[in-house]
């Protein structure tokens, strides 16, 4: 297990009738949430009539799922997840369906419920709705690194080129065959040795232009500083593929920033079983993907959702 600079986080440990929160087996900052099978079975049974089209067409139905899961699991489940995601020392957890189902429609419902306990989902222009399912396989003709299996997907945050906030990120594994490698690579900003040097550099506050690629279906340009503060803590917005430097000095700083992130020994590769999902605070966690080992039969499907924090 990768060591973070702090001791293992344990302030959100909990044991209740419907759920348990304890250590994540692969990262000292993350928690793993275990839901009781009876609560999950009751959830999928209660919402058996909901399908993904209904969730796509009727935004309040997404919150209906979240409310239903919170009721069935009970004992402050919503508040517990929200507290973890807002906690600067952690900001992330994994949770899964415990083998109760392997139906992709159920996975969409479960991911939607967990995400909407944290807050409303954002529109995902790549898919045209609030979630995106995407497959990584042996061959790919896309225009970004997202679906290119054998490339390292460098550390980044999501939502850089849209003008709404992207506070949280959820990734759920739907299917995996003939896949070796390809783990999620994660870096908590406070574990990055060079954070202060880059965050306090004059270009750290410079508003770079972000543009996206045709597959993202977003025509706009947005201006975003790389570093910003929430409370008194530095947060980051960065992805190498969409940031547009205007000078050699800009490009040099961005290249050094990415190289420093990639070289950080605090970056951890986290396995994610099929049917499990991870939620991360997108302001102080960076994510990427290790390359897969070459295999013509490679097939992996993930779902992503991104959103804002609920305003309470
Ligand atoms: Fe991403």
């Amino acid at each position: 297990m990768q060591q973070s600079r702090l001791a293992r986080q344990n302030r959100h440990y909990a044991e209740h009738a419907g759920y348990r929160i304890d250590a994540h087996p692969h990262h000292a900052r993350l928690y793993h949430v275990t839901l009781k099978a009876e609560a999950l079975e009751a959830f999928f049974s209660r919402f058996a009539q909901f399908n993904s089209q209904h969730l796509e067409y009727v935004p309040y139905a997404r919150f209906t799922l979240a409310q239903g899961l919170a009721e069935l699991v009970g004992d402050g489940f919503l508040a517990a997840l929200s507290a973890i995601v807002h906690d600067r020392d952690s900001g992330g957890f994994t949770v899964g369906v415990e083998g109760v189902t392997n139906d992709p429609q159920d996975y969409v419902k479960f991911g939607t419920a967990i995400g909407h306990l944290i807050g409303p989902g954002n529109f995902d222009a790549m898919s045209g709705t609030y979630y995106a399912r995407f497959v990584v396989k042996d061959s790919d003709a896309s225009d970004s690194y997202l679906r290119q299996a054998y490339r390292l997907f460098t550390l980044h945050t999501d939502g850089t080129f849209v003008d709404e906030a992207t506070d949280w990120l959820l990734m759920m594994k739907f299917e995996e065959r003939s896949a070796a490698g390809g783990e999620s690579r994660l870096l908590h900003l406070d574990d990055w040795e060079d954070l202060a040097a880059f965050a306090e550099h004059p270009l750290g506050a410079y508003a770079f232009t972000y543009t996206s690629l045709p597959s993202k279906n977003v025509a706009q340009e947005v201006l975003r500083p790389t570093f910003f503060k929430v409370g008194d803590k530095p947060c980051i917005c960065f992805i190498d593929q969409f940031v547009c430097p205007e000078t050699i000095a800009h490009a040099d700083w961005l290249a050094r920033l990415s190289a420093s992130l990639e070289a950080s020994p605090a970056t951890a590769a986290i396995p994610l079983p099929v049917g499990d999902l991870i939620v991360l605070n997108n302001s102080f966690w960076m994510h990427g993907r290790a390359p897969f080992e070459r295999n013509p039969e490679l097939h992996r499907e993930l779902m992503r959702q991104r959103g804002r924090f609920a305003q309470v």
Side-chain angles (χ1 to χ4, degrees):
M1 182 172 66
Q2 299 280 336
Q3 294 303 310
S4 57
R5 288 183 176 183
L6 295 179
R8 172 171 284 290
Q9 298 303 297
N10 60 14
R11 69 174 66 110
H12 300 289
Y13 285 1
E15 173 84 56
H16 294 289
Y19 70 101
R20 196 177 73 237
I21 301 175
D22 46 19
H24 190 278
H26 298 285
H27 201 295
R29 287 195 183 270
L30 298 174
Y31 293 88
H32 182 68
V33 181
T34 307
L35 298 181
K36 294 290 158 57
E38 305 82 66
L40 286 163
E41 283 161 359
F43 172 74
F44 292 119
S45 168
R46 181 186 291 189
F47 295 105
Q49 302 309 315
F50 276 49
N51 60 30
S52 54
Q53 187 183 60
H54 181 57
L55 295 170
E56 290 164 25
Y57 288 2
V58 183
Y60 69 69
R62 307 165 197 168
F63 286 102
T64 306
L65 286 178
Q67 182 182 23
L69 185 64
E71 284 171 7
L72 290 164
V73 174
D75 290 314
F77 184 58
L78 185 158
L81 296 190
S82 201
I84 293 173
V85 177
H86 282 88
D87 180 355
R88 174 72 184 211
D89 289 333
S90 171
F93 64 87
T94 55
V95 63
V97 299
E98 305 296 328
V100 163
T101 178
N102 59 8
D103 179 346
Q105 289 278 324
D106 285 342
Y107 288 174
V108 171
K109 291 180 216 177
F110 181 71
T112 300
I114 295 290
H116 286 73
L117 288 171
I118 311 295
N122 286 348
F123 180 72
D124 191 321
M126 192 172 85
S127 63
T129 185
Y130 72 97
Y131 67 95
R133 292 171 58 176
F134 56 96
V135 171
V136 173
K137 54 189 189 335
D138 181 56
S139 58
D140 172 68
S142 68
D143 57 3
S144 83
Y145 292 154
L146 177 64
R147 282 165 287 192
Q148 293 185 12
Y150 305 124
R151 288 200 62 127
L152 174 79
F153 194 173
T154 47
L155 291 163
H156 64 280
T157 56
D158 272 12
T160 53
F161 53 81
V162 294
D163 60 7
E164 60 194 343
T166 304
D167 296 323
W168 56 265
L169 163 72
L170 178 155
M171 290 180 285
M172 183 167 188
K173 189 170 291 174
F174 276 33
E175 197 177 4
E176 191 165 64
R177 296 194 305 270
S178 307
E183 301 90 353
S184 291
R185 302 168 63 237
L186 304 177
L187 176 64
H188 189 291
L189 219 48
D190 293 338
D191 294 335
W192 176 36
E193 304 73 19
D194 294 337
L195 172 62
F198 281 94
E200 290 163 18
H201 187 280
L203 283 177
Y206 181 79
F208 284 103
T209 301
Y210 278 81
T211 59
S212 71
L213 300 164
S215 66
K216 308 295 186 189
N217 301 321
V218 178
Q220 69 193 358
E221 288 186 354
V222 295
L223 295 174
R224 287 195 180 276
T226 306
F227 293 96
F228 57 98
K229 288 201 169 167
V230 172
D232 60 347
K233 302 280 191 177
C235 295
I236 191 166
C237 169
F238 175 71
I239 183 166
D240 59 0
Q241 295 177 78
F242 308 132
V243 62
C244 300
E246 293 138 48
T247 66
I248 289 172
H250 288 177
D252 177 63
W253 186 78
L254 291 167
R256 285 190 289 108
L257 167 71
S258 186
S260 169
L261 290 165
E262 292 303 316
S264 174
T267 299
I270 305 287
L272 188 68
V274 169
D276 273 23
L277 63 80
I278 183 165
V279 172
L280 295 170
N281 187 311
N282 188 54
S283 298
F284 54 81
W285 277 97
M286 307 197 75
H287 64 278
R289 187 187 63 225
F292 286 93
E293 293 176 23
R294 200 163 281 279
N295 186 328
E297 304 301 318
L298 168 66
H299 181 97
R300 190 189 75 170
E301 182 175 3
L302 287 182
M303 173 178 71
R304 75 176 179 207
Q305 294 188 27
R306 305 179 284 213
R308 287 154 283 146
F309 289 138
Q311 302 296 313
V312 287

